[in-house]
Amino acid sequence: STLTPFAEVEDTLKRIQGINGVIGTIVVNAEGIPIKTTLDNSTTVQYAGLLHQLTMKARSTVRDIDPQNDLTFLRIRSKKHEIMVSTDKEYLLIVIQNPAE
Amino acid sequence: MCIEAFLLVSNCSEGLYHCVLTTSLSCCISLCVCVCVCVCVTLSRGCDTNRTLHWDCDPSTLLLHSEPGRGPLKLAMAKVTHVDFPPKEVVSYTKETQTPTMTEQKEEEDEEEETAPLQPEVEAEKEKPAEKQDEEAPPHELTEEEKLQILHSEEFMEFFDHSTRFMERALSEHVDVFFDYSGRDMEEKEGEMQAGTKLSLNRKFVDDHWSKQRVVTCLDWSPQYPELLVASYNNNEEAPHEPDGVALVWNMKYKKTTPEYVFHCQSAVMSAVFAKFHPNLVVGGTYSGQIVLWDNRSNRRTPVQRTPLSAAAHTHPVYCVNVVGTQNAHNLISISTDGKMCSWSLDMLSQPQDSMELVFKQSKSVAVTSMSFPLGDVNNFVVGSEDGSVYTACRHGSRAGISEMFEGHHGPITGIHCHTAAGPVDFSHLFLTASFDWTVKLWSTKNNKPLYSFEDNSDYVYDVMWSPVHPALFACVDGLGRVDLWNLNNDTEYPWRTADISRGGFSDLGAPGKIQEWGPNFWIQLINFFIFLDDYIKF
């Protein structure tokens, strides 16, 4: 099967977290509730809430332009960090990276 | 502020008129405006005495005095000062308790009601915070079990599988499309700091088995594949059963931490190069004087060819090897520390094609530690020696051998490099030398004294190299682990950029010293292409 077995979820998250410059990784469900995180609770809740809203808005933008289209990846580049959000209908995978490193 | 002036006129038996002007202020304010009203009124009463009424100018009490013995009162025009005071702000406090969400919403709604002409959008925004607050309540409801349940679900697995794929690729890419070449965005961050901030350590290449406890003796880049780098190492004293000489080919393009190829031989390798017109061959000069050839097409880690250990070849350590010439006419040149220079054909290493003793003035053998050919020249070259002198030489012709001696350094020369950047102006007569005397010197083959001496280092300078593309840029490394980038267009007193790579704490065997070379694609976004090898150099 091409699906990731559960044990590898942990390993993959650790691997992602170990990539150079990665500050944090959060998995969020459809309601914006964090399921898995490598950051502390308050930061996680903040990122999850804000990015969930932004993703919803981005998704509705994409779908308003073309109803057959859907949002897959969102990348926010700021002066200090890069926030990458990979999404489908149900979940969000959020990774915050410092690209300078 | 209102000024209420009370005029009290009191009659008293002596005929004195007292006028009291009082000002009342409704409250105190920090700004005080002194009001001085001077009115001189001269009143005369029809009586035998002349009385003059005048204001007492003391602002606290303004009294109208009347002096007896004055004639009839005369009224005269007086100057009145008119002052305006702005109404004072009333600061009031409302004692309300801060209550959470519900009350706040109510207040918001109250505000909405008060400011009636609100657009529906604004109202919608105010409703959203309420929604958001509702949404935040559930996080406390998801238990660990529920989370695990989600994590085990099939849809999650599918999502995770796709997403992590993209994410890992995106994270590993370091394409910075936002880079500002003018350096403006960096200037904000740096402020005053100039040196050291744009030079950063890129990668470290270490192999636990093959490169630990060994000293890096030489580096070279593949002319055909710019990402391939060969590093030669000497012996590992703590592993006598391992081969003494090792050469590793590292790949800079990929993040893998193991070498592409591992080569070894019996004697410590003191120098190594990629054979210029044979991309599969790596040439090494060893401590024993033997020159070895490795081929990455063969499956062997040992050399496919070796030169003989005879008096015809070298019997002293070979610190300099290089392939010089053109595609059709090239030779492998090697020089050992006894001054013997041999030229070889790569097809046949069993005997040298040509050999020469490098002696100065027919008597003094030159102990060559480093050599360099100017750009485009296959005949003339420069060598640096252990006694601190630089010699120019040529391979062929009537005056083959050492031509001139340049003195200047006070210690053995560790590195020599001729100017490499090709362009309309010919700089090929310039070369740099690095030495144990803590200096780097710039020379011209036309002068026997250095043109300039760079003296910013505080330890043995182990190597120096010109940039392959920028005519004014060169770099040097010293025993303290410091790498300096000098820009001759900027400043000759101090390095343009500097980086300290010893702080990684890699070598606890002493001060780290490295040899570094420029790769063909060095000039990337002001961040240096930098190789740091985890070992120290011994001489």
Side-chain angles (χ1 to χ4, degrees):
Chain A
S1 145
T2 54
L3 300 178
T4 325
F6 174 68
E8 288 195 16
V9 168
E10 291 285 337
D11 291 343
T12 309
L13 282 176
K14 263 199 209 105
R15 194 171 64 238
I16 290 181
Q17 186 62 27
I19 291 178
N20 210 7
V22 170
I23 298 169
T25 311
I26 309 171
V27 179
V28 177
N29 78 347
E31 280 118 38
I33 303 165
I35 304 175
K36 258 215 163 293
T37 177
T38 61
L39 299 167
D40 61 273
N41 197 32
S42 54
T43 318
T44 301
V45 165
Q46 189 183 33
Y47 269 101
L50 292 168
L51 286 166
H52 181 254
Q53 286 179 46
L54 184 66
T55 313
M56 293 299 120
K57 185 68 183 174
R59 170 168 288 135
S60 67
T61 306
V62 168
R63 297 192 71 153
D64 283 351
I65 295 171
D66 177 4
Q68 314 251 316
N69 206 353
D70 196 3
L71 179 72
T72 53
F73 204 93
L74 188 62
R75 219 167 159 165
I76 304 165
R77 182 67 190 262
S78 70
K79 278 193 209 158
K80 294 183 190 170
H81 304 127
E82 181 154 19
I83 304 173
M84 285 175 260
V85 180
S86 176
T87 176
D88 67 358
K89 289 191 223 2
E90 287 281 316
Y91 304 97
L92 296 181
L93 173 63
I94 303 168
V95 179
I96 305 127
Q97 186 190 34
N98 184 348
E101 289 172 30
Chain B
M1 189 172 78
C2 314
I3 298 182
E4 289 151 21
F6 295 98
L7 219 72
L8 300 171
V9 180
S10 64
N11 231 338
C12 75
S13 56
E14 284 89 20
L16 280 171
Y17 286 85
H18 294 275
C19 290
V20 178
L21 179 74
T22 61
T23 60
S24 77
L25 306 173
S26 55
C27 56
C28 301
I29 49 171
S30 55
L31 288 169
C32 298
V33 180
C34 289
V35 178
C36 211
V37 178
C38 290
V39 175
C40 278
V41 175
T42 322
L43 295 170
S44 60
R45 252 175 65 169
C47 73
D48 49 359
T49 55
N50 270 341
R51 282 185 220 169
T52 313
L53 291 174
H54 62 270
W55 295 107
D56 187 333
C57 288
D58 177 15
S60 54
T61 50
L62 292 167
L63 297 170
L64 188 63
H65 294 290
S66 144
E67 285 176 317
R70 295 289 180 103
L73 297 170
K74 290 177 196 150
L75 288 175
M77 284 293 286
K79 206 170 155 193
V80 176
T81 317
H82 185 72
V83 180
D84 267 342
F85 292 92
K88 193 199 176 289
E89 286 175 22
V90 174
V91 175
S92 62
Y93 298 96
T94 54
K95 284 185 192 168
E96 283 176 12
T97 51
Q98 298 249 336
T99 47
T101 56
M102 294 311 293
T103 335
E104 277 175 15
Q105 281 182 6
K106 271 191 189 162
E107 285 178 7
E108 287 176 18
E109 285 161 24
D110 288 341
E111 285 173 12
E112 279 183 49
E113 285 167 13
E114 283 168 15
T115 58
L118 259 186
Q119 280 135 23
E121 291 164 9
V122 180
E123 280 180 2
E125 278 175 24
K126 295 221 164 143
E127 281 164 10
K128 266 186 189 170
E131 281 174 12
K132 182 185 171 186
Q133 283 150 6
D134 287 335
E135 273 177 19
E136 280 178 20
H140 305 294
E141 291 175 8
L142 256 199
T143 63
E144 284 302 313
E145 287 157 5
E146 285 175 329
K147 288 185 187 175
L148 272 176
Q149 203 178 19
I150 295 176
L151 288 172
H152 275 95
S153 67
E154 201 178 295
E155 313 126 1
F156 178 79
M157 290 300 179
E158 210 179 301
F159 155 77
F160 197 75
D161 187 50
H162 294 317
S163 295
T164 49
R165 241 181 254 279
F166 307 141
M167 198 57 87
E168 280 195 87
R169 278 185 220 147
L171 286 168
S172 304
E173 288 295 313
H174 288 292
V175 178
D176 185 6
V177 297
F178 301 100
F179 191 81
D180 185 1
Y181 287 89
S182 72
R184 242 176 277 135
D185 57 348
M186 295 262 211
E187 275 166 22
E188 288 164 10
K189 284 185 232 164
E190 282 173 35
E192 306 267 328
M193 266 193 40
Q194 283 292 316
T197 45
K198 289 182 191 170
L199 198 62
S200 64
L201 181 62
N202 191 330
R203 279 186 74 179
K204 296 190 275 266
F205 292 100
V206 185
D207 185 83
D208 278 340
H209 182 207
W210 290 109
S211 72
K212 271 251 163 6
Q213 306 287 35
R214 290 178 193 263
V215 171
V216 178
T217 51
C218 197
L219 294 177
D220 190 43
W221 300 86
S222 166
Q224 198 184 44
Y225 300 111
E227 66 269 23
L228 290 184
L229 160 73
V230 68
S232 60
Y233 302 80
N234 78 343
N235 59 320
N236 181 349
E237 282 168 1
E238 309 199 357
H241 301 294
E242 293 280 334
D244 276 358
V246 169
L248 300 177
V249 176
W250 297 96
N251 192 332
M252 286 178 22
K253 197 162 148 188
Y254 305 109
K255 308 282 183 198
K256 75 175 203 158
T257 54
T258 49
E260 284 286 333
Y261 296 104
V262 176
F263 299 127
H264 53 73
C265 65
Q266 287 308 103
S267 171
V269 185
M270 306 313 291
S271 54
V273 288
F274 276 99
K276 208 173 280 178
F277 304 103
H278 300 263
N280 296 302
L281 302 181
V282 174
V283 182
T286 65
Y287 194 74
S288 61
Q290 202 174 42
I291 300 188
V292 292
L293 192 70
W294 290 283
D295 191 331
N296 69 356
R297 289 170 293 197
S298 77
N299 289 324
R300 291 164 52 187
R301 289 181 164 182
T302 50
V304 294
Q305 273 198 73
R306 294 183 186 85
T307 62
L309 278 169
S310 69
H314 296 288
T315 50
H316 279 71
V318 176
Y319 279 113
C320 318
V321 282
N322 209 356
V323 174
V324 173
T326 60
Q327 174 77 47
N328 296 322
H330 55 266
N331 287 110
L332 173 67
I333 308 287
S334 60
I335 310 183
S336 56
T337 52
D338 60 351
K340 179 110 183 253
M341 180 171 107
C342 296
S343 101
W344 311 79
S345 157
L346 282 165
D347 304 322
M348 194 185 68
L349 288 182
S350 54
Q351 65 175 45
Q353 280 193 340
D354 193 12
S355 67
M356 183 164 52
E357 293 286 337
L358 292 173
V359 281
F360 182 58
K361 290 201 188 330
Q362 275 96 37
S363 55
K364 198 167 84 161
S365 248
V366 175
V368 173
T369 56
S370 45
M371 80 169 176
S372 178
F373 280 78
L375 192 67
D377 201 330
V378 299
N379 189 25
N380 301 298
F381 59 99
V382 287
V383 292
S385 74
E386 271 174 15
D387 62 12
S389 311
V390 179
Y391 298 90
T392 58
C394 56
R395 285 170 60 200
H396 310 295
S398 55
R399 295 185 301 119
I402 297 284
S403 318
E404 285 171 55
M405 176 169 94
F406 296 168
E407 283 179 312
H409 277 296
H410 304 294
I413 292 182
T414 50
I416 192 169
H417 196 222
C418 291
H419 200 278
T420 48
V425 184
D426 181 25
F427 292 117
S428 59
H429 60 102
L430 295 175
F431 62 92
L432 288 165
T433 52
S435 161
F436 271 12
D437 69 354
W438 296 11
T439 68
V440 169
K441 294 197 199 297
L442 174 67
W443 310 73
S444 164
T445 49
K446 304 170 191 166
N447 298 332
N448 62 355
K449 287 276 170 265
L451 294 178
Y452 196 83
S453 181
F454 301 93
E455 297 182 7
D456 195 59
N457 292 91
S458 316
D459 201 343
Y460 297 163
V461 185
Y462 279 108
D463 204 0
V464 66
M465 259 206 144
W466 289 102
S467 159
V469 289
H470 193 300
L473 217 61
F474 70 87
C476 62
V477 280
D478 70 13
L480 295 173
R482 217 179 88 180
V483 180
D484 295 320
L485 251 190
W486 294 79
N487 186 340
L488 296 175
N489 286 341
N490 254 25
D491 196 349
T492 52
E493 290 284 314
Y494 297 104
W496 185 53
R497 297 279 181 264
T498 179
D500 193 336
I501 42 186
S502 67
R503 260 187 270 121
F506 291 97
S507 178
D508 55 353
L509 301 163
K514 293 116 206 104
I515 300 181
Q516 46 96 92
E517 288 193 8
W518 294 122
N521 46 351
F522 134 78
W523 195 243
I524 292 186
Q525 293 184 9
L526 289 176
I527 297 172
N528 210 347
F529 229 50
F530 209 97
I531 304 299
F532 169 78
L533 292 157
D534 179 8
D535 266 308
Y536 66 97
I537 185 164
K538 283 191 292 201
F539 239 88

